[in-house]
Amino acid sequence: MSISFFWSRAFLTNRFLLWLLFWCNLVGTVYGYMWYGQQMEYTIANHAIWQVIFVPDSPTASLFFTLAFLFLLYPPKSLALKGFSLLIEALAVVTSVKYGIWAVSIIFAGAAQGDHLVWQDWMLVASHLTMAVEALLFVRFFRFGTIMLIPAAAWTFLNDIVDYTYGVYPWLPNELLDHLFAVQNFTLGLTLFSVVLSWFVLRLAKRKTI
């Protein structure tokens, strides 16, 4: 068996694997919201309540991907649900690439400034790298087109703007607090990179299916 089989359509769209990934993403989403629980409570207590929506970045990305897997398993029939599923797919890809790379970068940037890494950091590195790889592997099986990248990009940029305007960005290692402006610029640049990369991979995937 060739190693290429493990990223083939036959393997990746097998219903057993899709269900396995659905449950893995769902469990990761729940754990992620629990991880952000303290910051969400702090935000509700000290900020306008609507800002809490923008706090749990990575869990929301994995929630989008959980729903995207559900739509792969059960393709929607109604026009409204089809449109919703296309938006969810685009959001899943853009945000998973963005926050997958972002979390790993911030963890290692903090370590480079003197932060001591513990086992939870390595767990986060592995899980967030998986988010980005998962997005790039499955984009070719999604049905959304280039147009849907526009609202996905708008949401992700809005998240960045709210995060760094109102101070509800994910809590950073203390070693990076003196570099907040650099983190902000990196985050905005990474959003642009993620949108462009998603567009490129999507175009490449669609071209190969023609």
Side-chain angles (χ1 to χ4, degrees), residues 130-203:
T130 300
M131 286 175 60
V133 171
E134 183 178 65
L136 297 176
L137 279 176
F138 278 90
V139 64
R140 59 195 166 118
F141 307 128
F142 292 149
R143 293 170 287 270
F144 76 93
T146 302
I147 295 299
M148 278 299 174
L149 287 175
I150 297 174
W155 165 262
T156 313
F157 275 116
L158 175 63
N159 201 334
D160 294 343
I161 292 168
V162 172
D163 276 357
Y164 294 95
T165 299
Y166 297 100
V168 293
Y169 51 83
W171 285 343
L172 301 169
N174 290 332
E175 290 78 5
L176 293 182
L177 293 179
D178 290 339
H179 305 281
L180 184 58
F181 186 67
V183 172
Q184 172 186 313
N185 289 339
F186 170 72
T187 302
L188 288 165
L190 185 56
T191 295
L192 179 60
F193 170 80
S194 300
V195 172
V196 172
L197 180 62
S198 299
W199 172 82
F200 176 78
V201 175
L202 179 66
R203 287 289 300 270

Side-chain angles (χ1 to χ4, degrees), residues 93-110:
V93 172
V94 171
T95 59
S96 293
V97 170
K98 186 261 180 79
Y99 294 116
I101 297 173
W102 186 91
V104 174
S105 301
I106 292 300
I107 288 170
F108 286 132

Side-chain angles (χ1 to χ4, degrees), residues 31 35 100 103-104 107 119-129:
Y31 177 79
W35 179 276
V104 174
I107 288 170
W119 71 266
Q120 291 96 330
D121 294 309
W122 294 107
M123 178 269 292
L124 291 172
V125 167
S127 61
H128 283 78
L129 280 178

